[in-house]
Amino acid sequence: MGRNSTRSLAGAAVFAVLALLSAPAAEAVQIKKVYRGVANFDADDVVQSTNIGGTVNQSKSIILISTSWDSSGANGIRDQNGFFTAQFEDNDTIAIDRAGA
């Protein structure tokens, strides 16, 4: 074996051992419902609140967001316009914040 392949195998072995040592007890997880929605931001909007279409238990829920935009407008795309965070306002509403608007 060459020197690079030996390093790769050693690195993989160390990673596997660390993964096994730090692995928590396995538990089954079920996705029971998926809610989807759309929030539109104008050029000067910083926060949008939106109803998610149902009631959730916040301690058993996560929010995943993605972005898409039209770059043909007069403002174009600025990097900070693509950074968003989301959090629950209550059990049926989320707030989406735009960073650096």
Side-chain angles (χ1 to χ4, degrees):
M1 285 188 162
R3 186 176 179 175
N4 287 335
S5 61
T6 303
R7 275 192 208 155
S8 296
L9 290 175
V14 169
F15 177 75
V17 169
L18 290 175
L20 289 174
L21 293 176
S22 64
E27 295 182 21
V29 177
Q30 295 179 355
I31 298 173
K32 296 188 178 183
K33 289 198 177 205
V34 175
Y35 296 102
R36 293 182 180 190
V38 175
N40 296 308
F41 282 76
D42 290 331
D44 59 347
D45 289 341
V46 178
V47 178
Q48 287 287 337
S49 292
T50 185
N51 189 296
I52 59 174
T55 302
V56 298
N57 180 345
Q58 294 179 35
S59 66
K60 296 181 180 182
S61 303
I62 62 170
I63 302 171
L64 303 174
I65 59 175
S66 64
T67 60
S68 64
W69 57 73
D70 179 11
S71 63
S72 63
N75 293 334
I77 297 176
R78 297 187 332 216
D79 289 339
Q80 68 270 19
N81 287 344
F83 297 119
F84 293 88
T85 59
Q87 61 187 2
F88 288 104
E89 284 187 346
D90 54 39
N91 290 338
D92 61 358
T93 307
I94 61 171
I96 303 170
D97 300 301
R98 176 171 46 194

